[in-house]
Amino acid sequence: MLELLKIAWRNLFRNPRRTWASLCTVALGSAGLLIYQGFNTGVMNQYRENVIHGYYGYGQVFPENYFGKVHEQPWKLWFEDGEKIEAQLRSSSAVTQVFPRVSFYAFIVKGGITLGGKGEGVIPERENTFFTEMNFIAGHDLQHPDQIILGKGLAESLDAKEGDTVTLLTQTVNGQLNGADLTVAGIFYTGKKVIDDSFYRVDLKQAQQLLDTQRIEMFSLATQGVEAWPQVEKDIRKANPSLEAVPFEILDKNYYQNSVDFLNAQFSFIRSIILVIVAMGIFNVISVGLLERAGEMGALRANGEKRSRLFKILLLENSLLGILGGFVGICLAVLIDKTLLVKGIPMPPAPGITRQFFVFLDIMPSHYIQALLLPMIATVVASLWPTIKLLKKSIPELLRST
């Protein structure tokens, strides 16, 4: 086999023109695969960052059997001792910050307009340093206990602007009416109509005062990264088995996980197209090259070479061509990434993002393996039919082809 490999390697460079034509076809296909997969991963990373730093964090912790269910009196299931639960969550070395929250329904009144909405109470000084993707189109995040921020659609329906005063009316956990006058600090836009038309945020203490409770509904978490979440779940379960930890991709399945699934399906389709183009280009180049080598094959056959041995040599040639082309393509893609695309690819606002953003290629180790092996496989497969067809010819037919 080593002898056949040496022969195949030497044969590659006997005709530089033919070899370079094949090599460029494979290299361009390999570079295209690597660049597109890096771009695809970069887009998914942008979506992930928007989800994590826009609302959910890396995940959220709920009371047991609370998440995903409708409760007639949900506050009865909320955490009574928020500080104790927070301490348990911080016991995990992978947790870097904890964000307690409560959600509640209320009427928002401005002038003669009264609208219903669902909002949250948060701790601004914690949230503002981590949740930096709220997409504010006016004003800023909460900075004082007497402030409120509104979704874009809700603000437009109320005709509320930054600095205006609105009245929040809600029912306490005891069934009594309570209210507060709050100043609009900012207006944000998520791109999700159901949220933008009804969502608001206030200070956590203000929300607890309005609801007449000190309980906490759930905690959002900041961790050391996405890969740390399994360890966080394990630590939380160990600290308190009654806690339910849910990662961000489950919390926002419709926006994030469905987007990831869509982009992966799209990449698989485009990858197939690139491989077909590579295979067709290789098929054409190799077919022409083998026709030019028909006389050579005839002479070898006349000297006693077996079809099986010649088939192995040609197969090794095309395998080496595919590997070499894949390697050149990887080098080309890395060069483009480090030069032409070093400042990122400017993209228009995506769903849930109100500003232009830049996508940077995120090339993973597995991407290099795919960019090396897939074009090689396409090259070998594309060369099989013309190789078999050539070797099936008789010696006189091959010699007459010179």
Side-chain angles (χ1 to χ4, degrees), residues 216-237:
I216 299 295
E217 179 182 13
M218 57 87 172
F219 296 87
S220 284
L221 301 181
T223 70
Q224 294 177 349
V226 176
E227 65 282 351
W229 186 256
Q231 182 61 41
V232 170
E233 280 189 299
K234 182 179 178 181
D235 292 342
I236 291 174
R237 196 176 300 112

Side-chain angles (χ1 to χ4, degrees), residues 145-400:
D146 60 348
Q147 291 181 337
I148 185 173
I149 57 174
L150 305 172
K152 178 176 177 288
L154 180 60
E156 290 177 349
S157 298
L158 290 169
D159 193 25
K161 299 178 179 58
E162 179 190 359
D164 289 350
T165 298
V166 299
T167 301
L168 209 61
L169 298 175
T170 188
Q171 195 175 47
T172 69
V173 296
N174 301 313
Q176 299 173 334
L177 186 63
N178 203 355
D181 292 327
L182 304 172
T183 303
V184 178
I187 298 170
F188 61 89
Y189 173 69
T190 66
K192 304 174 189 177
K193 186 173 176 60
V194 65
I195 293 180
D196 294 332
D197 288 353
S198 62
F199 194 73
Y200 59 88
R201 262 187 175 176
V202 298
D203 185 89
L204 177 62
K205 291 183 178 179
Q206 182 70 257
Q208 290 175 326
Q209 184 178 344
L210 284 166
L211 295 172
D212 193 20
T213 182
Q214 295 299 312
R215 295 190 177 194
I216 299 295
E217 179 182 13
M218 57 87 172
F219 296 87
S220 284
L221 301 181
T223 70
Q224 294 177 349
V226 176
E227 65 282 351
W229 186 256
Q231 182 61 41
V232 170
E233 280 189 299
K234 182 179 178 181
D235 292 342
I236 291 174
R237 196 176 300 112
K238 182 179 179 181
N240 189 338
S242 67
L243 301 179
E244 182 179 4
V246 184
F248 74 93
E249 62 265 26
I250 300 299
L251 294 166
D252 197 18
K253 182 177 177 61
N254 287 337
Y255 174 70
Y256 174 75
Q257 193 59 50
N258 289 350
S259 296
V260 169
D261 294 342
F262 173 80
L263 289 172
N264 282 331
Q266 177 180 264
F267 171 72
S268 298
F269 178 71
I270 293 180
R271 177 176 57 193
S272 301
I273 293 175
I274 292 175
L275 290 176
V276 168
I277 293 173
V278 170
M280 290 178 65
I282 289 296
F283 175 81
N284 181 60
V285 173
I286 289 177
S287 295
V288 173
L290 287 176
L291 287 175
E292 294 176 355
R293 298 175 66 183
E296 174 192 339
M297 295 296 110
L300 290 171
R301 290 277 309 284
N303 288 329
E305 288 286 358
K306 296 181 179 179
R307 285 191 176 98
S308 59
R309 179 178 167 85
L310 292 176
F311 178 79
K312 291 177 182 178
I313 293 173
L314 293 174
L315 195 65
L316 285 173
E317 278 186 43
N318 293 311
S319 298
L320 290 172
L321 180 67
I323 292 175
L324 189 59
F327 179 75
V328 173
I330 289 173
C331 293
L332 178 62
V334 171
L335 179 63
I336 292 173
D337 182 32
K338 301 300 181 182
T339 55
L340 298 178
L341 303 180
V342 68
K343 294 183 178 180
I345 304 170
M347 298 291 291
I353 306 175
T354 60
R355 65 197 178 285
Q356 184 189 51
F357 64 98
F358 288 85
V359 172
F360 294 88
L361 298 190
D362 188 2
I363 302 176
M364 311 295 289
S366 60
H367 299 169
Y368 290 106
I369 297 174
Q370 289 186 37
L372 189 65
L373 294 182
L374 290 179
M376 184 205 74
I377 294 171
T379 302
V380 172
V381 171
S383 67
L384 286 176
W385 187 75
T387 300
I388 293 172
K389 184 178 179 182
L390 178 69
L391 295 180
K392 278 185 176 181
K393 292 183 178 182
S394 64
I395 295 175
E397 286 179 306
L398 292 172
L399 293 174
R400 284 196 299 267

Side-chain angles (χ1 to χ4, degrees), residues 45-62 67 94-101 120 122 126-134 192 199 201 218-229 232 236 245-253 255-257:
N45 287 346
Q46 183 66 47
Y47 270 78
R48 183 179 66 192
E49 289 302 302
N50 201 56
V51 169
I52 291 173
H53 293 282
Y55 179 75
Y56 291 101
Y58 287 94
Q60 294 180 343
V61 177
F62 300 89
F67 173 71
V95 174
T96 58
Q97 187 57 280
V98 179
F99 310 101
R101 296 174 177 176
E120 282 185 332
V122 300
R126 293 190 194 178
E127 302 250 351
N128 296 352
T129 58
F130 182 82
F131 295 97
T132 56
E133 303 292 335
M134 283 290 289
K192 304 174 189 177
F199 194 73
R201 262 187 175 176
M218 57 87 172
F219 296 87
S220 284
L221 301 181
T223 70
Q224 294 177 349
V226 176
E227 65 282 351
W229 186 256
V232 170
I236 291 174
V246 184
F248 74 93
E249 62 265 26
I250 300 299
L251 294 166
D252 197 18
K253 182 177 177 61
Y255 174 70
Y256 174 75
Q257 193 59 50

Side-chain angles (χ1 to χ4, degrees), residues 113-128:
I113 304 174
T114 301
L115 295 175
K118 181 181 179 181
E120 282 185 332
V122 300
I123 300 178
E125 55 268 26
R126 293 190 194 178
E127 302 250 351
N128 296 352

